[in-house]
Amino acid sequence: MGETGDLVERARDGDRDAWNELVDRFARMVLAVAASNGVRPADRDDVAQVTWLKLAQNLDRIERPDAVGAWLAMTCRHEALRVRARGAREIPVEDEAFARLADDTDVEDEALRSIPDNELPAAFAKLSDRCQTLLRLLLLERPYSEISEILGMPIGGIGPTRSRCLDKLRRLLPNASGITRSSKDS
Amino acid sequence: MDHFSDDQLMALLAAGDVVPQASESSLELARMAFDWRTLDAELAELVADSALEQAVALRAAATPRLVSFEGRDVSVELEIAARDEERVITGQLFPPQEATVEVVRPVGAPLTVDTDVDGRFVVEVKAGPVAFDVLSIRTDWLVT
């Protein structure tokens, strides 16, 4: 049994440190799944919290402690759909998602920075829930085995699906060409 | 370069912080969820939620949400009406009977409400996760 499975077993025995370690390990992934399934930023903490409450309540019933990451992701997705359907309201584009984009210097290519701050989040928000989930899990560097389980796709399908999702993103950007973009800006 | 490469797009997304950060408060809520693991009561599963039913979703937004939990011997049906951040929850026990209902929130003491002889109760809570302890059952958690 892997380390994650050990943490679940220890948490079952009442070990709070083990639980906190699970939280540290999976909290951001849970929020990413909520965000990828159309939950407004204001409701995301509720969805994440109820996901953790359900894990606590079902800790003894988890059949595969090793795969608790996938369990959390699937529970979170279910709760996200519930909360999203609750009001059946429109999900606004996330303005905050790329707020730090302009300041971030990780992107070395100047052309990449030529996309206005709001275009990328708008385009990303138009991707399918599945594409958003996949890309966010990849950005979080989750193990392929976990991604495969969460999305119900073979590990060999992850690479090609990533390409298809990025291709959609590229087409959703009003002008995905870095070179012509800079001339249009002037 | 004709267009951004896959790797460039991924770099752009990574730099853009597309993955939400876990705030300290959200981490704290997740840690505190552990307090709710001990469970002597039978867990009553959520068996129906009108929020997930297409036909209801298409009706007027003001239609109350209907939720059902089912335990072995006791069931609870809830009608949840939204009023801004408040939720008015009307509950019905099956079989109908007098009982004390504890409305459990993740933080703070539970609210206590008694049902009438027909097994009905009304309680008002703030929007957010909630669960119910009644008779032998504890319902699953629900975001109201």
Side-chain angles (χ1 to χ4, degrees):
Chain A
M1 187 175 287
E3 214 186 324
T4 294
D6 290 338
L7 291 173
V8 173
E9 296 287 1
R10 281 166 52 199
R12 277 176 177 168
D13 293 338
D15 185 339
R16 186 175 286 274
D17 289 341
W19 175 267
N20 290 346
E21 175 71 31
L22 286 172
V23 170
D24 288 343
R25 205 170 277 202
F26 293 107
R28 214 172 161 208
M29 184 270 276
V30 168
L31 287 167
V33 170
S36 301
N37 286 280
V39 179
R40 302 177 312 163
D43 290 333
R44 247 175 241 158
D45 280 350
D46 274 353
V47 169
Q49 188 184 16
V50 84
T51 301
W52 287 103
L53 287 163
K54 279 171 180 264
L55 178 63
Q57 203 164 46
N58 288 285
L59 210 45
D60 293 334
R61 298 180 184 82
I62 302 289
E63 285 174 19
R64 291 164 49 226
D66 260 348
V68 73
W71 190 97
L72 282 164
M74 287 185 277
T75 301
C76 178
R77 176 168 181 273
H78 204 78
E79 292 306 312
L81 297 180
R82 208 177 276 289
V83 165
R84 177 159 79 172
R86 187 177 55 175
R89 57 197 157 202
E90 276 187 33
I91 308 301
V93 166
E94 304 164 27
D95 302 326
E96 34 114 52
F98 287 76
R100 298 192 309 157
L101 182 60
D103 303 331
D104 208 301
T105 51
D106 288 353
V107 182
E108 290 174 13
D109 189 334
E110 286 293 330
L112 289 179
R113 284 193 231 159
S114 64
I115 297 179
D117 285 358
N118 58 342
E119 280 185 13
L120 199 52
F124 191 85
K126 284 179 194 154
L127 291 175
S128 65
D129 293 357
R130 201 170 162 79
C131 276
Q132 290 188 34
T133 305
L134 174 65
L135 293 177
R136 285 192 169 109
L137 292 174
L138 287 168
L139 290 167
L140 279 175
E141 300 178 355
R142 302 306 308 176
Y144 270 33
S145 56
E146 187 183 285
I147 295 175
S148 155
E149 184 143 18
I150 290 170
L151 291 171
M153 67 170 65
I155 287 177
I158 292 175
T161 309
R162 169 187 186 266
S163 289
R164 276 198 298 278
C165 291
L166 290 172
D167 203 44
K168 277 185 219 155
L169 181 64
R170 201 175 283 119
R171 279 184 277 125
L172 283 165
L173 287 168
N175 185 349
S177 163
I179 292 166
T180 53
R181 153 68 52 198
S182 42
S183 63
K184 190 184 157 195
D185 277 350
S186 58
Chain B
M1 186 185 71
D2 188 37
H3 52 60
F4 298 141
S5 71
D6 282 6
D7 288 344
Q8 281 177 318
L9 275 176
M10 286 302 276
L12 193 59
L13 291 171
D17 197 24
V18 63
V19 185
Q21 300 286 341
S23 66
E24 188 47 45
S25 66
S26 75
L27 288 172
E28 191 52 33
L29 289 173
R31 290 184 197 117
M32 283 179 356
F34 191 60
D35 295 335
W36 297 106
R37 94 189 181 287
T38 310
L39 184 64
D40 297 324
E42 176 200 353
L43 188 65
E45 308 263 359
L46 186 61
V47 291
D49 183 351
S50 68
L52 290 180
E53 290 160 18
Q54 187 85 17
V56 173
L58 293 174
R59 275 197 246 141
T63 308
R65 176 183 177 192
L66 303 174
V67 179
S68 303
F69 294 99
E70 221 167 81
R72 202 170 45 242
D73 303 317
V74 187
S75 300
V76 188
E77 284 191 3
L78 304 174
E79 187 180 295
I80 304 170
R83 199 173 53 206
D84 299 325
E85 290 306 300
E86 301 292 317
R87 299 289 179 265
V88 178
I89 302 175
T90 307
Q92 170 71 59
L93 293 185
F94 293 102
Q97 60 195 291
E98 284 185 271
T100 298
V101 180
E102 287 206 331
V103 186
V104 183
R105 282 91 44 91
V107 181
L111 296 170
T112 300
V113 58
D114 291 327
T115 68
D116 63 19
V117 288
D118 297 320
R120 290 177 69 84
F121 64 94
V122 180
V123 66
E124 192 170 324
V125 295
K126 280 228 178 306
V130 72
F132 298 83
D133 272 336
V134 57
L135 301 168
S136 60
I137 61 165
R138 148 71 62 89
T139 70
D140 208 345
W141 287 93
L142 179 75
V143 180
T144 59

